[in-house]
Amino acid sequence: NAGVTQTPKFRVLKTGQSMTLLCAQDMNHEYMYWYRQDPGMGLRLIHYSVGEGTTAKGEVPDGYNVSRLKKQNFLLGLESAAPSQTSVYFCASRPLVTHEQFFGPGTRLTVL
Amino acid sequence: KQEVTQIPAALSVPEGENLVLNCSFTDSAIYNLQWFRQDPGKGLTSLLLIQSSQREQTSGRLNASLDKSSGRSTLYIAASQPGDSATYLCAVLDDKLIFGTGTRLQVFP
């Protein structure tokens, strides 16, 4: 039982490049979330999903897209990376009944 | 708009001390409150979750209380150890999970 895993752990991009971050969970959770964490800002919700095939915007969705084609995977895409997207990205999941969220180890992204 | 504040931002204590971390929130209409621990360069580990109908939760040396009417929660750590050094985050759930900016705790031997 690996819990929530994220790929990759680190990435450096140049402005304008694109990439996809992968989140996978093996707990059969319905809900999945993408957050970014910036110094002094706390964690902020980017997008979330309440089930396979559904996604919704969070607090800071601009510049990001997501997809939930399989229940266990939640992908975060950056189509044209900007330096303002330099951050640590966390994925989380939770089951339908309880509200306790379980977090992945994070992806540290630097956009030059 | 829900806002979550944690005071102090940083705390340094000698080993063995009992300590209290504070969390306040502006809107009392929450479903629950969750305390997390984050080690440097790592993800978040859930410590305690208090449902809105509960007053406190305990796990080992940790005790978290919730006073919805005053918009406050405290995390009490008994007999602190160097291994407790980390950043502690609280988060409240209304329609989304809203995080505070954390308290960075250092426990020195």
Side-chain angles (χ1 to χ4, degrees):
Chain A
N1 191 341
V4 180
T5 59
Q6 293 182 233
T7 309
K9 289 185 171 55
F10 303 93
R11 186 70 185 268
V12 178
L13 291 178
K14 294 181 179 179
T15 296
Q17 287 185 319
S18 63
M19 77 162 295
T20 301
L21 282 68
L22 171 64
C23 175
Q25 52 94 5
D26 61 2
M27 298 174 282
N28 201 35
H29 287 171
E30 283 75 16
Y31 287 71
M32 296 188 74
Y33 305 84
W34 275 108
Y35 295 90
R36 59 179 289 173
Q37 185 177 36
D38 302 289
M41 301 288 290
L43 278 87
R44 292 178 292 169
L45 182 64
I46 305 172
H47 285 280
Y48 65 100
S49 168
V50 301
E52 182 179 323
T54 71
T55 63
K57 294 180 180 180
E59 183 183 0
V60 288
D62 294 341
Y64 305 94
N65 57 76
V66 289
S67 64
R68 183 104 181 264
L69 299 180
K70 295 182 179 180
K71 185 177 183 179
Q72 63 268 33
N73 295 336
F74 195 27
L75 279 64
L76 178 70
L78 286 72
E79 290 187 350
S80 179
S84 61
Q85 294 177 304
T86 293
S87 188
V88 181
Y89 292 86
F90 288 100
C91 176
S93 70
R94 74 165 176 90
L96 182 63
V97 176
T98 73
H99 292 285
E100 185 174 10
Q101 293 192 18
F102 297 85
F103 281 76
T107 295
R108 186 174 296 275
L109 175 66
T110 301
V111 183
L112 302 175
Chain B
K1 180 184 175 184
Q2 179 74 265
E3 292 183 2
V4 181
T5 305
Q6 291 187 247
I7 295 173
L11 184 62
S12 183
V13 300
E15 182 177 7
E17 273 204 9
N18 302 323
L19 54 98
V20 174
L21 307 182
N22 296 295
C23 173
S24 61
F25 47 96
T26 54
D27 187 343
S28 62
I30 63 171
Y31 292 107
N32 62 46
L33 184 144
Q34 197 167 353
W35 281 94
F36 295 89
R37 168 186 174 137
Q38 185 176 26
D39 293 285
K42 304 292 185 182
L44 280 69
T45 300
S46 180
L47 297 173
L48 291 164
L49 184 148
I50 311 175
Q51 301 291 351
S52 61
S53 58
Q54 297 176 317
R55 297 284 293 184
E56 66 178 340
Q57 280 285 343
T58 298
S59 176
R61 295 182 293 108
L62 304 180
N63 176 276
S65 67
L66 174 63
D67 184 343
K68 272 183 52 178
S69 60
S70 66
R72 293 180 182 178
S73 176
T74 60
L75 179 66
Y76 175 83
I77 302 177
S80 58
Q81 303 170 356
D84 295 330
S85 298
T87 295
Y88 291 80
L89 298 164
C90 74
V92 299
L93 180 70
D94 40 30
D95 60 338
K96 298 180 183 59
L97 201 58
I98 309 296
F99 285 83
T101 53
T103 293
R104 190 170 63 253
L105 172 66
Q106 182 181 10
V107 181
F108 54 91

